Amino acid sequence: MSTRRDRAERNDRALLQAARDVLAEDGAHASVAAIAARAGVGVGSLYRRYQTKEELFQRLSLLSLEHWNEAAEQGLADPDPWAGLTGFVRSCIEFGQGSLAPIAGTIEVTEEMSAKSRRGDELLDELVRRAHASGDLRADVTAIDVSLLIEQLGRSPVVDQLRKQGRDDLLPAAAEARRRLIAIALDGLRPGHDPLPGSPPGDELFTGRWSVAE
């Protein structure tokens, strides 16, 4: 028999998934009404769980950071540095890590978020260091390159468009095409390619964007 707590937990999971989906579609302009509608709950129910939209987005960000860190720890547990790194990247892409990029700089970063972000940076640095040391990762690829690659591949414009159009018949083909593109991108991390253009990206393009503008 379903209890009130069970229903509340289901509603919370639905809200968080709806917020992630609406953010992917509408960016920073995602509205509370659209999130509640996508989750199948009333706006009042949303505000009973999260007092503000910022609080909802902070919770979503925290869960994303926790997934990042868990995926990185699993990658480091793999004795194969290349498999560990690419497993981490694929896990983050499948989770949709890049879907929160639109709210960077629009919400306050809590101390808990900062601590988990710093831990995530340390874990990714170690994944990249191992892959460099084993010769599996091209020397000119940095941790920030990997982070930005995950963000770029975390969404699929084709899949998003087909979902909006209700073309479920084409979704399997789009998902397969996406997997191919991810494989192509990961292969580009291997040694043996032309040097990358320009200078390595700085942290301001990833973590730095989350600082709220004064």
Side-chain angles (χ1 to χ4, degrees), residues 10-196:
R10 282 198 301 272
N11 285 345
D12 189 43
R13 287 194 296 270
L15 278 171
L16 292 167
Q17 185 58 54
R20 186 178 290 110
D21 292 342
V22 174
L23 269 173
E25 294 176 5
D26 301 338
H29 300 294
S31 70
V32 168
I35 293 170
R38 179 69 65 91
V41 303
V43 173
S45 295
L46 187 154
Y47 278 126
R48 279 193 293 274
R49 179 65 183 86
Y50 300 99
Q51 294 184 5
T52 65
K53 184 167 73 170
E54 180 178 52
E55 185 178 318
L56 170 61
F57 288 168
Q58 286 171 330
R59 176 60 179 160
L60 203 61
S61 300
L62 196 59
L63 291 175
S64 182
L65 288 165
E66 289 174 351
H67 178 272
W68 178 285
N69 292 355
E70 289 170 3
E73 288 169 350
Q74 290 175 4
L76 289 172
D78 193 316
D80 184 324
W82 176 250
L85 176 62
T86 57
F88 160 75
V89 172
R90 290 182 188 278
S91 178
C92 290
I93 290 173
E94 290 171 4
F95 185 79
Q97 299 282 170
S99 63
L100 299 186
I103 62 173
T106 68
I107 64 172
E108 180 182 354
V109 176
T110 66
E111 181 52 43
E112 187 176 11
M113 288 167 60
S114 293
K116 291 186 183 296
S117 178
R118 289 192 296 270
R119 178 59 178 158
D121 290 344
E122 294 170 357
L123 292 168
L124 178 54
D125 284 343
E126 180 58 17
L127 279 168
V128 169
R129 187 202 65 75
R130 287 202 320 161
H132 276 149
S134 67
D136 291 305
L137 179 65
R138 56 190 295 170
D140 54 355
V141 167
T142 69
I144 299 297
D145 286 317
V146 174
S147 297
L148 293 172
L149 180 67
I150 290 170
E151 182 178 305
Q152 292 297 312
L153 296 177
R155 288 186 56 196
S156 172
V158 174
V159 172
D160 291 344
Q161 181 184 22
L162 291 174
R163 282 177 177 160
K164 284 184 178 181
Q165 294 174 341
R167 293 300 306 273
D168 292 350
D169 57 314
L170 293 178
L171 284 176
E176 183 176 351
R178 186 186 185 202
R179 288 193 294 270
R180 288 172 60 86
L181 292 175
I182 292 170
I184 291 170
L186 290 177
D187 188 62
L189 297 177
R190 292 276 201 179
H193 300 279
D194 291 337
L196 293 170

